[in-house]
Amino acid sequence: MDLICYCHLRWNFVYQRPQHIISRFAKNYRTFYIEEPLFSEIAQSFYTLEKNGDVTVIVPNLNSGLKENQIVNELKQLLNGLVKENKISNHIAYYYTPMGLNFSRHLKPEVVVYDCMDELSNFKFAPPELKALETELLRIADVVFTGGESLFNAKKNDHKNIHSFPSSIDKLHFASARSKGNDPADQKDIPHPRFGFYGVIDERFDLELINAVATQRPEWNFVIIGPVAKIEPASLPKLPNVFYPGGKTYNDLPEYLRGWDVAIIPFLLNESTRYISPTKTPEYLAAGKPVISSAITDVVNPYGNEGLVHIADSAEEFIAAGEKILKHIDDNNEWLKKVDLFLQHNSWDNTWSKMNALVENVRTTKKKTLNNLKQQVYV
């Protein structure tokens, strides 16, 4: 059994849900991960293959002058070539983006999975046809997963076999930040207290909030790690106490977390953040770091309501939370016990195991149905 994943995120961009889930599926299935195409002035379309552990990553390369219908046709032909060359027959079609339907709907997978990790149609520069394609995907999918409770509640009436799987963690990986170690070279000279963030810096990031807090508290230092996407780099706050070390690998993140006093999730409350369930929330907590977050629904419930995360939307609320945390920074043993108890069963292994069981249940049910039909025809 093979698995073909269609994803809007590049495998080597930021290591998050697709990489965690698909790399685990790849232990059981021969797995192909198809990224969105790259465009350049080439004469003929082709794709590149790259092995990442057990996952084969496919990057289509297309001519930048192609029209929309030509792009779809080229992608379809490349997909057909991949299927033929690798002798893919029975397979699971695993969609992170409904856009993959444009060039794959002609295939006949044994199981169709839609892992709806975000409401992509609310994101900046979303393709106009995304909504219609999602409606089609929800119609043909055998099982649907959502990236959090709020997204599940928004879509629970759109499919009969839909399940919520909020963000998970590799606890041991991030818990290593609780032990002593050396500060990375590009962080060691930044004074304390440090307020840190890692992730994609895009239209969700509240630039004005960071600018306001950093201005009012010049003695606090902000370490903002990650690539800048879909916003102008010139729009980032430029203050002597705000630092941008750039993007870091997944393996490097605990090294930076170790040196922070407070971890932050300064997201705007808008359409692009309405249904998100930030993976960094449990990761920060697993690292033993106090967290200040804006009132993202899936952070407020459960983390805010459980007293594990401070919720703040304004500069005044953020500063009040920061001062409270710093005042008790060396007296948080009871809070850490609550964190560890809450996270004890949270892991990507557990999440994948439950997802895989649902996929296998679909396969088993379909086989039984097919066998019953064959017996009826024979009789």
Side-chain angles (χ1 to χ4, degrees), residues 38 41 69 75 88 90 103 105 111 117 126 171 181 214 253 273 280 284 290-291 310 330 345 363 367 379:
L38 292 176
E41 294 182 5
N69 63 321
L75 290 173
I88 299 172
N90 293 339
F103 58 93
R105 61 166 61 89
V111 180
M117 61 181 282
K171 281 197 290 289
L253 293 179
T273 61
K280 58 181 64 59
Y284 287 164
V291 181
H310 297 262
D330 296 320
H345 299 302
R363 287 182 64 196
K367 284 181 180 178
V379 171

Side-chain angles (χ1 to χ4, degrees), residues 30 40 153 164 192 203 218 243 258 302 316:
R30 188 173 59 151
S40 61
N153 289 330
S164 173
H192 289 269
E203 77 271 22
F243 303 85
R258 176 183 289 117
E316 293 72 24

Side-chain angles (χ1 to χ4, degrees), residues 307-318:
L308 304 177
V309 168
H310 297 262
I311 303 300
D313 289 318
S314 66
E316 293 72 24
E317 291 173 344
F318 190 107

Side-chain angles (χ1 to χ4, degrees), residues 170-188:
D170 284 335
K171 281 197 290 289
L172 292 178
H173 180 65
F174 288 97
S176 66
R178 299 190 188 189
S179 60
K180 292 182 178 180
N182 295 324
D183 229 359
D186 55 355
Q187 181 172 271
K188 65 183 181 65

